[in-house]
PDB file of all heavy atoms in Angstrom:
ATOM      1  N   GLU A 165      -3.995   4.359   2.595  1.00  0.00           N
ATOM      2  CA  GLU A 165      -3.305   3.699   1.508  1.00  0.00           C
ATOM      3  C   GLU A 165      -2.533   4.719   0.658  1.00  0.00           C
ATOM      4  O   GLU A 165      -2.932   5.899   0.596  1.00  0.00           O
ATOM      5  CB  GLU A 165      -4.318   2.965   0.601  1.00  0.00           C
ATOM      6  CG  GLU A 165      -5.161   1.935   1.255  1.00  0.00           C
ATOM      7  CD  GLU A 165      -6.500   2.504   1.700  1.00  0.00           C
ATOM      8  OE1 GLU A 165      -6.626   3.683   1.915  1.00  0.00           O
ATOM      9  OE2 GLU A 165      -7.450   1.669   1.878  1.00  0.00           O
ATOM     10  N   SER A 166      -1.492   4.220  -0.005  1.00  0.00           N
ATOM     11  CA  SER A 166      -0.704   5.016  -0.972  1.00  0.00           C
ATOM     12  C   SER A 166      -0.088   4.099  -1.953  1.00  0.00           C
ATOM     13  O   SER A 166      -0.014   2.899  -1.726  1.00  0.00           O
ATOM     14  CB  SER A 166       0.326   5.862  -0.220  1.00  0.00           C
ATOM     15  OG  SER A 166       1.249   5.047   0.434  1.00  0.00           O
ATOM     16  N   GLY A 167       0.455   4.694  -3.020  1.00  0.00           N
ATOM     17  CA  GLY A 167       1.201   3.915  -4.003  1.00  0.00           C
ATOM     18  C   GLY A 167       0.492   3.567  -5.259  1.00  0.00           C
ATOM     19  O   GLY A 167       1.084   2.978  -6.177  1.00  0.00           O
ATOM     20  N   GLY A 168      -0.775   3.926  -5.338  1.00  0.00           N
ATOM     21  CA  GLY A 168      -1.504   3.690  -6.579  1.00  0.00           C
ATOM     22  C   GLY A 168      -1.062   4.568  -7.701  1.00  0.00           C
ATOM     23  O   GLY A 168      -0.248   5.466  -7.551  1.00  0.00           O
ATOM     24  N   GLY A 169      -1.544   4.288  -8.932  1.00  0.00           N
ATOM     25  CA  GLY A 169      -1.189   5.080 -10.061  1.00  0.00           C
ATOM     26  C   GLY A 169      -1.535   4.394 -11.384  1.00  0.00           C
ATOM     27  O   GLY A 169      -2.284   3.432 -11.377  1.00  0.00           O
ATOM     28  N   LEU A 170      -1.000   4.973 -12.446  1.00  0.00           N
ATOM     29  CA  LEU A 170      -1.202   4.420 -13.785  1.00  0.00           C
ATOM     30  C   LEU A 170       0.035   3.667 -14.218  1.00  0.00           C
ATOM     31  O   LEU A 170       1.157   4.172 -14.159  1.00  0.00           O
ATOM     32  CB  LEU A 170      -1.500   5.590 -14.743  1.00  0.00           C
ATOM     33  CG  LEU A 170      -1.605   5.257 -16.245  1.00  0.00           C
ATOM     34  CD1 LEU A 170      -2.755   4.309 -16.499  1.00  0.00           C
ATOM     35  CD2 LEU A 170      -1.704   6.525 -17.046  1.00  0.00           C
ATOM     36  N   VAL A 171      -0.158   2.492 -14.718  1.00  0.00           N
ATOM     37  CA  VAL A 171       0.984   1.610 -15.124  1.00  0.00           C
ATOM     38  C   VAL A 171       0.530   0.846 -16.391  1.00  0.00           C
ATOM     39  O   VAL A 171      -0.662   0.549 -16.562  1.00  0.00           O
ATOM     40  CB  VAL A 171       1.373   0.671 -13.990  1.00  0.00           C
ATOM     41  CG1 VAL A 171       0.295  -0.279 -13.638  1.00  0.00           C
ATOM     42  CG2 VAL A 171       2.731  -0.011 -14.324  1.00  0.00           C
ATOM     43  N   GLN A 172       1.483   0.497 -17.213  1.00  0.00           N
ATOM     44  CA  GLN A 172       1.219  -0.271 -18.379  1.00  0.00           C
ATOM     45  C   GLN A 172       1.109  -1.782 -18.026  1.00  0.00           C
ATOM     46  O   GLN A 172       1.698  -2.220 -16.983  1.00  0.00           O
ATOM     47  CB  GLN A 172       2.315  -0.088 -19.425  1.00  0.00           C
ATOM     48  CG  GLN A 172       2.296   1.220 -20.145  1.00  0.00           C
ATOM     49  CD  GLN A 172       3.278   1.304 -21.286  1.00  0.00           C
ATOM     50  OE1 GLN A 172       4.298   0.587 -21.334  1.00  0.00           O
ATOM     51  NE2 GLN A 172       2.980   2.131 -22.273  1.00  0.00           N
ATOM     52  N   ALA A 173       0.353  -2.514 -18.809  1.00  0.00           N
ATOM     53  CA  ALA A 173       0.244  -3.945 -18.549  1.00  0.00           C
ATOM     54  C   ALA A 173       1.643  -4.556 -18.543  1.00  0.00           C
ATOM     55  O   ALA A 173       2.468  -4.211 -19.326  1.00  0.00           O
ATOM     56  CB  ALA A 173      -0.600  -4.561 -19.683  1.00  0.00           C
ATOM     57  N   GLY A 174       1.814  -5.462 -17.574  1.00  0.00           N
ATOM     58  CA  GLY A 174       3.083  -6.076 -17.350  1.00  0.00           C
ATOM     59  C   GLY A 174       3.950  -5.418 -16.349  1.00  0.00           C
ATOM     60  O   GLY A 174       4.995  -5.927 -15.908  1.00  0.00           O
ATOM     61  N   GLY A 175       3.567  -4.193 -15.940  1.00  0.00           N
ATOM     62  CA  GLY A 175       4.347  -3.438 -15.003  1.00  0.00           C
ATOM     63  C   GLY A 175       4.046  -3.781 -13.530  1.00  0.00           C
ATOM     64  O   GLY A 175       3.301  -4.754 -13.282  1.00  0.00           O
ATOM     65  N   SER A 176       4.626  -3.007 -12.669  1.00  0.00           N
ATOM     66  CA  SER A 176       4.517  -3.316 -11.231  1.00  0.00           C
ATOM     67  C   SER A 176       4.197  -2.040 -10.451  1.00  0.00           C
ATOM     68  O   SER A 176       4.534  -0.923 -10.903  1.00  0.00           O
ATOM     69  CB  SER A 176       5.866  -3.888 -10.695  1.00  0.00           C
ATOM     70  OG  SER A 176       6.191  -5.079 -11.291  1.00  0.00           O
ATOM     71  N   LEU A 177       3.534  -2.273  -9.339  1.00  0.00           N
ATOM     72  CA  LEU A 177       3.300  -1.213  -8.335  1.00  0.00           C
ATOM     73  C   LEU A 177       3.408  -1.817  -6.946  1.00  0.00           C
ATOM     74  O   LEU A 177       3.117  -3.022  -6.764  1.00  0.00           O
ATOM     75  CB  LEU A 177       1.880  -0.607  -8.491  1.00  0.00           C
ATOM     76  CG  LEU A 177       1.645   0.388  -9.648  1.00  0.00           C
ATOM     77  CD1 LEU A 177       0.126   0.752  -9.697  1.00  0.00           C
ATOM     78  CD2 LEU A 177       2.481   1.644  -9.469  1.00  0.00           C
ATOM     79  N   ARG A 178       3.739  -0.973  -6.009  1.00  0.00           N
ATOM     80  CA  ARG A 178       3.761  -1.397  -4.616  1.00  0.00           C
ATOM     81  C   ARG A 178       2.831  -0.493  -3.798  1.00  0.00           C
ATOM     82  O   ARG A 178       3.089   0.738  -3.697  1.00  0.00           O
ATOM     83  CB  ARG A 178       5.179  -1.336  -4.010  1.00  0.00           C
ATOM     84  CG  ARG A 178       5.250  -1.981  -2.666  1.00  0.00           C
ATOM     85  CD  ARG A 178       6.559  -1.555  -1.984  1.00  0.00           C
ATOM     86  NE  ARG A 178       6.900  -2.381  -0.859  1.00  0.00           N
ATOM     87  CZ  ARG A 178       7.753  -2.029   0.127  1.00  0.00           C
ATOM     88  NH1 ARG A 178       8.337  -0.869   0.066  1.00  0.00           N
ATOM     89  NH2 ARG A 178       8.026  -2.891   1.113  1.00  0.00           N
ATOM     90  N   LEU A 179       1.774  -1.040  -3.266  1.00  0.00           N
ATOM     91  CA  LEU A 179       0.855  -0.302  -2.425  1.00  0.00           C
ATOM     92  C   LEU A 179       1.321  -0.426  -0.985  1.00  0.00           C
ATOM     93  O   LEU A 179       1.801  -1.426  -0.560  1.00  0.00           O
ATOM     94  CB  LEU A 179      -0.533  -0.831  -2.529  1.00  0.00           C
ATOM     95  CG  LEU A 179      -1.118  -0.918  -3.970  1.00  0.00           C
ATOM     96  CD1 LEU A 179      -2.592  -1.362  -3.927  1.00  0.00           C
ATOM     97  CD2 LEU A 179      -0.996   0.436  -4.693  1.00  0.00           C
ATOM     98  N   SER A 180       1.104   0.665  -0.224  1.00  0.00           N
ATOM     99  CA  SER A 180       1.354   0.699   1.183  1.00  0.00           C
ATOM    100  C   SER A 180       0.097   1.075   1.904  1.00  0.00           C
ATOM    101  O   SER A 180      -0.718   1.861   1.405  1.00  0.00           O
ATOM    102  CB  SER A 180       2.463   1.681   1.517  1.00  0.00           C
ATOM    103  OG  SER A 180       3.690   1.284   0.877  1.00  0.00           O
ATOM    104  N   CYS A 181      -0.019   0.591   3.129  1.00  0.00           N
ATOM    105  CA  CYS A 181      -1.122   0.999   3.981  1.00  0.00           C
ATOM    106  C   CYS A 181      -0.565   1.256   5.352  1.00  0.00           C
ATOM    107  O   CYS A 181      -0.102   0.360   6.023  1.00  0.00           O
ATOM    108  CB  CYS A 181      -2.177  -0.077   4.036  1.00  0.00           C
ATOM    109  SG  CYS A 181      -3.511   0.190   5.240  1.00  0.00           S
ATOM    110  N   ALA A 182      -0.588   2.513   5.799  1.00  0.00           N
ATOM    111  CA  ALA A 182       0.000   2.925   7.035  1.00  0.00           C
ATOM    112  C   ALA A 182      -1.162   2.961   8.095  1.00  0.00           C
ATOM    113  O   ALA A 182      -2.223   3.588   7.881  1.00  0.00           O
ATOM    114  CB  ALA A 182       0.621   4.296   6.935  1.00  0.00           C
ATOM    115  N   ALA A 183      -0.895   2.357   9.264  1.00  0.00           N
ATOM    116  CA  ALA A 183      -1.881   2.304  10.317  1.00  0.00           C
ATOM    117  C   ALA A 183      -1.494   3.187  11.476  1.00  0.00           C
ATOM    118  O   ALA A 183      -0.295   3.317  11.756  1.00  0.00           O
ATOM    119  CB  ALA A 183      -2.078   0.857  10.784  1.00  0.00           C
ATOM    120  N   SER A 184      -2.472   3.731  12.147  1.00  0.00           N
ATOM    121  CA  SER A 184      -2.164   4.540  13.315  1.00  0.00           C
ATOM    122  C   SER A 184      -3.348   4.434  14.278  1.00  0.00           C
ATOM    123  O   SER A 184      -4.462   4.031  13.909  1.00  0.00           O
ATOM    124  CB  SER A 184      -1.921   5.991  12.945  1.00  0.00           C
ATOM    125  OG  SER A 184      -3.074   6.566  12.340  1.00  0.00           O
ATOM    126  N   GLY A 185      -3.114   4.759  15.540  1.00  0.00           N
ATOM    127  CA  GLY A 185      -4.171   4.859  16.525  1.00  0.00           C
ATOM    128  C   GLY A 185      -4.374   3.648  17.357  1.00  0.00           C
ATOM    129  O   GLY A 185      -5.182   3.727  18.324  1.00  0.00           O
ATOM    130  N   SER A 186      -3.724   2.543  17.050  1.00  0.00           N
ATOM    131  CA  SER A 186      -3.904   1.342  17.823  1.00  0.00           C
ATOM    132  C   SER A 186      -2.727   0.402  17.561  1.00  0.00           C
ATOM    133  O   SER A 186      -1.895   0.682  16.740  1.00  0.00           O
ATOM    134  CB  SER A 186      -5.232   0.640  17.431  1.00  0.00           C
ATOM    135  OG  SER A 186      -5.530  -0.444  18.293  1.00  0.00           O
ATOM    136  N   THR A 187      -2.646  -0.650  18.348  1.00  0.00           N
ATOM    137  CA  THR A 187      -1.517  -1.613  18.202  1.00  0.00           C
ATOM    138  C   THR A 187      -1.728  -2.417  16.887  1.00  0.00           C
ATOM    139  O   THR A 187      -2.588  -3.260  16.796  1.00  0.00           O
ATOM    140  CB  THR A 187      -1.512  -2.532  19.404  1.00  0.00           C
ATOM    141  OG1 THR A 187      -1.363  -1.790  20.589  1.00  0.00           O
ATOM    142  CG2 THR A 187      -0.262  -3.478  19.268  1.00  0.00           C
ATOM    143  N   PHE A 188      -0.871  -2.148  15.957  1.00  0.00           N
ATOM    144  CA  PHE A 188      -0.977  -2.694  14.598  1.00  0.00           C
ATOM    145  C   PHE A 188      -0.951  -4.235  14.607  1.00  0.00           C
ATOM    146  O   PHE A 188      -1.710  -4.878  13.876  1.00  0.00           O
ATOM    147  CB  PHE A 188       0.110  -2.137  13.735  1.00  0.00           C
ATOM    148  CG  PHE A 188       0.113  -2.563  12.300  1.00  0.00           C
ATOM    149  CD1 PHE A 188      -1.000  -2.285  11.487  1.00  0.00           C
ATOM    150  CD2 PHE A 188       1.128  -3.324  11.805  1.00  0.00           C
ATOM    151  CE1 PHE A 188      -0.977  -2.709  10.131  1.00  0.00           C
ATOM    152  CE2 PHE A 188       1.142  -3.754  10.440  1.00  0.00           C
ATOM    153  CZ  PHE A 188       0.074  -3.428   9.622  1.00  0.00           C
ATOM    154  N   SER A 189      -0.128  -4.788  15.427  1.00  0.00           N
ATOM    155  CA  SER A 189       0.047  -6.236  15.435  1.00  0.00           C
ATOM    156  C   SER A 189      -1.183  -6.973  15.978  1.00  0.00           C
ATOM    157  O   SER A 189      -1.224  -8.225  15.967  1.00  0.00           O
ATOM    158  CB  SER A 189       1.298  -6.653  16.244  1.00  0.00           C
ATOM    159  OG  SER A 189       1.216  -6.149  17.538  1.00  0.00           O
ATOM    160  N   ASN A 190      -2.165  -6.279  16.466  1.00  0.00           N
ATOM    161  CA  ASN A 190      -3.403  -6.879  16.972  1.00  0.00           C
ATOM    162  C   ASN A 190      -4.351  -7.255  15.817  1.00  0.00           C
ATOM    163  O   ASN A 190      -5.373  -7.868  16.064  1.00  0.00           O
ATOM    164  CB  ASN A 190      -4.112  -5.992  17.921  1.00  0.00           C
ATOM    165  CG  ASN A 190      -3.445  -5.908  19.304  1.00  0.00           C
ATOM    166  OD1 ASN A 190      -2.597  -6.741  19.640  1.00  0.00           O
ATOM    167  ND2 ASN A 190      -3.805  -4.947  20.107  1.00  0.00           N
TER     168      ASN A 190
END
C-alpha cells in the first residue's frame, strides 16, 4: 500500500495497492 498521510478534515487522499507475484485479475 501507499498514499497515506496527514490531511485536514474535508480533504482527500488516494490510496494505492500494488500487487505482484501472481495474476492480479484472479
Side-chain angles (χ1 to χ4, degrees):
E165 302 95 337
S166 62
L170 174 65
V171 64
Q172 288 188 333
S176 299
L177 283 174
R178 188 194 196 200
L179 305 184
S180 299
C181 172
S184 62
S186 187
T187 303
F188 182 62
S189 58
N190 287 344

